[in-house]
Amino acid sequence: MTDQTKIERILRMMKMLTTNVNYSIDDIADKLELTQRTVYRYLDTLENAGFVLQRSKKCVRLCTESPFFKDISQLIHFSEEEAYMVNQLIESIADTNLVKRNLKKKLASVYHFHGVADSIINKEHNTAIHTLLDAIENKRTVILKNYASSHTGDVRNRLVEPFAFTTNYVQVRCYEPESGMNKMFRVSRIEEVLLQNENWMYEEKHQHAYLDIFRMSSTNGITYPIKLELNTRAHNLLLEEFPLSEKYLTKISKDKWLLKTEVSSYAGVGRFVMGLAADIQIIDTPELKKYIADYVQQHILQE
């Protein structure tokens, strides 16, 4: 094993020891593909370096009060859109640049499960999001304590199986056994997330919501095709505001681009088109034209 591999595994072990999941020596050895003896040696190395460990027969944890401990437990992973932007920035560096190669290795080795890298978030929701990420990774159930529903006004505990986040971790998608439905829960309305010992029982019923490039989600799997012709101004603004759109853009002339994709609803793309009406032409999408016409009639002309 090379020194670089050892360092990578120690870093991954440190990350495991700062989550809300209790890992035993056997768990750590299994996940990092190490022997128990090597795990103990790594733990001794951390203690010798000044870190404080809590050890018991069932688990071991890294105390956040340890000297040199900074920000490890305050990190969560980039959303797909954020990761895409970071990757684009890294890829823009020349391949011969040593920093580029080292950066990609470091990010991939430590944050191999959730994506490219981690990003600091609002500390108010940090603990809840961490617990949900742990539950998703380990396929465990959680209780959303005193969840305040905006639809019914009820404030009560919800037992759920969390399995996905929306962009920027604003909402978490879960399967709720009580109702037999997949639902979105807003993180800001959760008082506390309580990790349970029970594993998922209904994984086959988990339905992932489709999130379009305009950040609109569909929970029923229904999407709508759109086709837009954009000039340079609209093209540039689209990329700045919705970076994932780049995958669906095709250059058709010197200053014209074609956007061809599917959306969850016309609300997101409709707002974008109405804000740049002189710069965008709707092609072969009469339903979008009708949505915009109806919106203008109802919300603008009647004011």
Side-chain angles (χ1 to χ4, degrees):
M1 187 185 300
T2 65
D3 289 340
Q4 180 176 335
T5 302
K6 292 178 182 178
I7 293 172
E8 289 175 354
R9 285 182 172 169
I10 289 177
L11 289 173
R12 286 169 59 188
M13 185 175 71
M14 290 175 67
K15 182 174 181 291
M16 290 173 63
L17 298 181
T18 58
T19 67
N20 291 310
V21 175
N22 291 327
Y23 289 106
S24 66
I25 298 298
D26 288 340
D27 292 333
I28 298 171
D30 181 61
K31 285 184 174 292
L32 299 183
E33 298 180 350
L34 299 171
T35 64
Q36 287 188 5
R37 184 175 180 180
T38 300
V39 172
Y40 280 117
R41 189 169 68 249
Y42 285 177
L43 293 174
D44 291 340
T45 298
L46 289 176
E47 286 187 319
N48 292 335
F51 289 93
V52 179
L53 297 175
Q54 290 180 337
R55 303 199 196 197
S56 68
K57 292 182 179 180
K58 293 185 177 181
C59 68
V60 59
R61 294 188 60 80
L62 179 61
C63 299
T64 57
E65 293 79 13
S66 302
F68 320 119
F69 187 100
K70 184 179 180 181
D71 290 341
I72 294 177
S73 64
Q74 301 299 320
L75 299 176
I76 69 161
H77 300 271
F78 282 139
S79 66
E80 179 188 4
E81 192 170 49
E82 292 166 337
Y84 179 79
M85 294 180 69
V86 170
N87 187 64
Q88 290 293 93
L89 291 172
I90 294 175
E91 290 299 333
S92 68
I93 304 173
D95 289 333
T96 55
N97 192 308
L98 182 61
V99 174
K100 174 180 179 177
R101 297 199 299 272
N102 288 342
L103 181 58
K104 293 183 72 172
K105 285 182 180 179
K106 290 177 181 178
L107 292 176
S109 65
V110 181
Y111 304 107
H112 64 292
F113 170 68
H114 288 286
V116 177
D118 278 6
S119 168
I120 295 176
I121 63 158
N122 188 333
K123 293 184 179 180
E124 181 182 355
H125 304 145
N126 181 275
T127 301
I129 292 176
H130 257 297
T131 306
L132 289 166
L133 282 170
D134 292 339
I136 293 171
E137 180 175 2
N138 294 281
K139 298 186 176 182
R140 302 267 289 277
T141 61
V142 300
I143 290 177
L144 307 180
K145 184 178 178 181
N146 292 334
Y147 182 77
S149 173
S150 61
H151 298 293
T152 64
D154 291 340
V155 179
R156 62 184 179 90
N157 293 348
R158 304 290 190 97
L159 176 67
V160 299
E161 297 180 357
F163 57 88
F165 278 98
T166 61
T167 302
N168 297 329
Y169 301 91
V170 174
Q171 294 176 300
V172 60
R173 185 158 178 79
C174 309
Y175 178 77
E176 185 181 49
E178 178 185 356
S179 64
M181 298 174 61
N182 291 277
K183 296 183 177 181
M184 302 293 291
F185 295 92
R186 188 169 288 274
V187 173
S188 60
R189 298 195 183 116
I190 304 172
E191 181 178 300
E192 184 181 1
V193 179
L194 305 176
L195 187 67
Q196 305 298 291
N197 292 324
E198 292 78 18
N199 294 326
W200 291 347
M201 296 180 60
Y202 305 95
E203 185 172 1
E204 72 282 358
K205 296 184 178 181
H206 296 182
Q207 294 179 358
H208 288 263
Y210 174 76
L211 190 70
D212 66 30
I213 63 172
F214 297 96
R215 307 189 188 102
M216 304 299 293
S217 62
S218 169
T219 58
N220 55 17
I222 299 176
T223 58
Y224 308 93
I226 63 165
K227 189 185 294 185
L228 306 176
E229 183 181 292
L230 299 83
N231 65 13
T232 301
R233 179 169 180 262
H235 166 266
N236 293 342
L237 290 174
L238 178 68
L239 288 178
E240 290 174 8
E241 190 170 353
F242 305 106
L244 291 180
S245 62
E246 183 175 4
K247 295 186 290 185
Y248 306 98
L249 284 165
T250 303
K251 191 169 186 177
I252 55 178
S253 68
K254 182 179 179 181
D255 57 354
K256 297 290 183 182
W257 284 262
L258 183 68
L259 174 68
K260 186 178 180 181
T261 185
E262 295 188 351
V263 295
S264 300
S265 74
Y266 293 126
V269 63
R271 285 195 294 267
F272 183 76
V273 171
M274 284 186 283
L276 294 164
D279 304 291
I280 299 175
Q281 181 180 350
I282 301 173
I283 302 175
D284 299 332
T285 318
E287 298 84 0
L288 177 56
K289 288 184 178 180
K290 183 178 185 305
Y291 171 86
I292 293 176
D294 291 345
Y295 185 93
V296 171
Q297 178 68 33
Q298 181 178 356
H299 297 281
I300 299 178
L301 296 182
Q302 292 183 0
E303 291 183 357

